[in-house]
Amino acid sequence: MVHYVFLLGAQSAWDMLHEEKSCKSITTSCSDLDEILGGGINCKEVTEIGGVPGIGKTQMGIQLAINVQIPAQYGGLGGKAVYIDTEGSFMVERALQIAEACIEDLREYDSFLRKDGKPCQINKQPNDFLANIFYFRVCSYTEQIAVVNYLEKFISEHEDVKVVIIDSITFHFRQDFDNMALRTRLLGGMALKLMKLANKFSLAVVLLNQVTTKYSEGSFQLTLALGDSWSHACTNRIILYWNGNERYAYIDKSPSLQSASSPYSVTAKGIRNSVSNCKRVKMM
Amino acid sequence: MKPEDLLQPLPIRAPKCSIGCPVLDRFLAGGIPCNSITEIVAESGCGKTQISLQLLLSAQYPTSAGGLSASSLYLHSEFPFPFRRLHQLSLAHSVLENPLDNIFVCPLKDADDLLDLLPRIDSLLAKPPRALFPIKLIVIDSIAALFRSEFDNNPSDLKRRSSLFFKISSKLKAQAMQFGVAVVVTNQVVDSMDSSEGLRIGNMRWLYSSGRKVCAALGLSWANCVNTRLFLSRTEEKVGDEDGGFPLTRTRRFISVVFSPHLPNSFCEYVVAREGVFGVDRSQGFCQTENDEPEFQRSFIVFGMKLRQVYTFIQQDLHNLCQSIVGDLINYSKNSL
């Protein structure tokens, strides 16, 4: 096909479709959720995931940081992860647990693929997974902005980074802001930078967000934090919520996916398909 | 500081502070983690303060014994400071040398007081006075009491309040990270009034304590400010009839995980004894305390007991009280000499 480039950087929709098809996505390890997401968390997009405390946002973040590293021959991206922790909830022991379960799954998949009795090809250790997570711990919103600005340089030096996770985007922006217009500007600028990053390096950006109550028409309603203008900042928006005793994920906004919801569960192995029996264990 | 400095090598595992009982430590996967905020939610009389006091002592043990070899800072907004109980607990930790010397105590009036104090303890955290252990544990008992008054239930006050939450939490988290401190805050419960579908936070649909439906005080925004939330609950269980016709009950206490990045949805029974708080390992059929189930003896409702029993109980308590007062006096006179 011959390209006539009239405008620098312009692309035809056909090219874009082609490109989008070649673009991979990161599995969430929950096949129901992957299905409604069209394969998982897409690269080149900014996805926001929000929910109440304890619903599993951080678990989702850690799971994605591990899953992005699944080697290409097993349908993964074989990439690395940048994890920006603003809340201090990233627990290494939990990441190790999820990495172990991931290796176990890969081994199982591997033995399923080759029945000829060849030895297993997976020689990854849980610690290798951890070594591929670049962990930034930020303690103020100025640091958060500085890190986001620095990411472009960092990722151009580490091109195999395929996912950037910010857990959470909100925390430092919920204090000390008398000037809401300034906050909106700062957040808008940050979202723009992240969007650019996602496009330039074809990586997935995942922003975790908190929920808050919004006072409107005389009553309090639950909504994701950071206000209305922020809700335009992300390509996709997924809301995690409780439905009875099950956790559900709901696609609230997406240009390409239809809104749908799917159950998921948080297990010892990480995010998995929901099993409806009660999982509460008695430890002692 | 440059942004690249914020890139950190992942630590092998966050150090944890033992809670002072092997069963509870196993339940908490090692104890209270450093670098994060752990919240203990409970109604009064469940043992929040007991657990916090016990933490002050167990933090002083060497790391090989599960502690942090550290001194601790206890900020209390509930008055008075339970010094006598702390002293009583410290008797059970005879291996520690002058355990009470390694505990800093500071009273707090309100939230602004706390916000004033936090930046000032930076230097204390960075460099402990004299030859003391570094401070690796901060306990705030309780956070709810700081917000008890002066905030109305209108949107502007609620907004001001939640902005304060985030300020406090952000400062605490920054200190926890910078100095490797474990932060424990206790929180109270409020009765959950609405029979409709309330907001569910964490593993349990409802929290129940003493047969009442409760939820953690300070609401949704504060829940966003802590990393781990534990819930202590108690239930009265009938164990038989005494001859006077009064029902004999005993209190069973449970600790459960409401949410946490590293703990599964689980719970564990515990008892409060004179020597401290201990988990009960029912699967192995024994109680972790030295005496055989002291809780059994202590939690009988006084009415249900024969007068003689009541008398011996009072006598015992008086005896303990005298002992601790004498102990205080001796300590006091030692210090003043």
Side-chain angles (χ1 to χ4, degrees), chain A residues 59 87 89 93 135 176 244, chain B residues 8 16 167 200 202 227 261 265:
Chain A
Q59 304 296 320
E87 301 200 9
S89 281
E93 56 188 271
Y135 176 77
D176 257 351
Chain B
Q8 295 177 355
K16 291 192 178 152
K167 264 189 218 167
R200 171 172 176 168
N227 299 111
N265 181 4

Side-chain angles (χ1 to χ4, degrees), chain A residues 259-275:
Chain A
S259 70
S261 59
S262 107
Y264 70 97
S265 67
V266 179
T267 69
K269 294 173 151 195
I271 305 286
R272 289 293 184 271
N273 269 344
S274 174
V275 274

Side-chain angles (χ1 to χ4, degrees), chain B residues 6-53:
Chain B
L6 298 170
L7 177 63
Q8 295 177 355
L10 282 174
I12 304 305
R13 232 162 254 253
K16 291 192 178 152
C17 176
S18 158
I19 205 163
C21 157
V23 178
L24 288 177
D25 281 347
R26 209 175 335 138
F27 168 72
L28 293 172
I32 303 291
C34 290
N35 311 334
S36 79
I37 301 183
T38 305
E39 185 191 29
I40 301 175
V41 177
E43 64 167 329
S44 61
C46 277
K48 294 186 299 264
T49 305
Q50 306 289 326
I51 290 185
S52 343
L53 293 180

Side-chain angles (χ1 to χ4, degrees), chain B residues 204-219:
Chain B
M204 284 162 284
R205 185 76 195 88
W206 302 109
L207 306 178
Y208 284 100
S209 189
S210 301
R212 280 158 31 226
K213 199 154 74 178
V214 295
C215 54
L218 306 184

Side-chain angles (χ1 to χ4, degrees), chain A residues 11 15 23 31 51 69-70 72-73 157 187 191-192 201-202 205 212 234 237 277 283:
Chain A
Q11 259 182 319
D15 291 338
C23 219
S31 55
Q69 302 176 42
I70 296 175
Q73 69 260 38
E157 289 161 4
L187 281 167
L192 217 62
F201 299 101
S202 35
V205 174
T212 179
C234 301
R237 180 172 249 198
N277 59 344
M283 288 283 281

Side-chain angles (χ1 to χ4, degrees), chain A residues 54 59 87 89 92-94 135-137 147 150 171 174-176 211 222 242 244-245 280-281 283-284, chain B residues 4 6 8 11-13 16 27 167 169-170 173 177 199-200 202 224 227 259 261 265-268:
Chain A
Q59 304 296 320
E87 301 200 9
S89 281
V92 180
E93 56 188 271
R94 182 63 180 145
Y135 176 77
F136 292 87
R137 177 75 175 91
V147 167
Y150 167 64
F171 182 70
R174 291 189 69 181
Q175 41 161 334
D176 257 351
V211 290
L222 274 188
W242 286 103
N245 263 327
R280 190 164 161 85
V281 283
M283 288 283 281
M284 304 302 156
Chain B
E4 42 266 55
L6 298 170
Q8 295 177 355
I12 304 305
R13 232 162 254 253
K16 291 192 178 152
F27 168 72
K167 264 189 218 167
S169 155
S170 146
K173 280 177 176 173
M177 217 278 293
L199 174 65
R200 171 172 176 168
N224 279 313
N227 299 111
F259 59 80
N265 181 4
S266 54
F267 65 96
C268 174

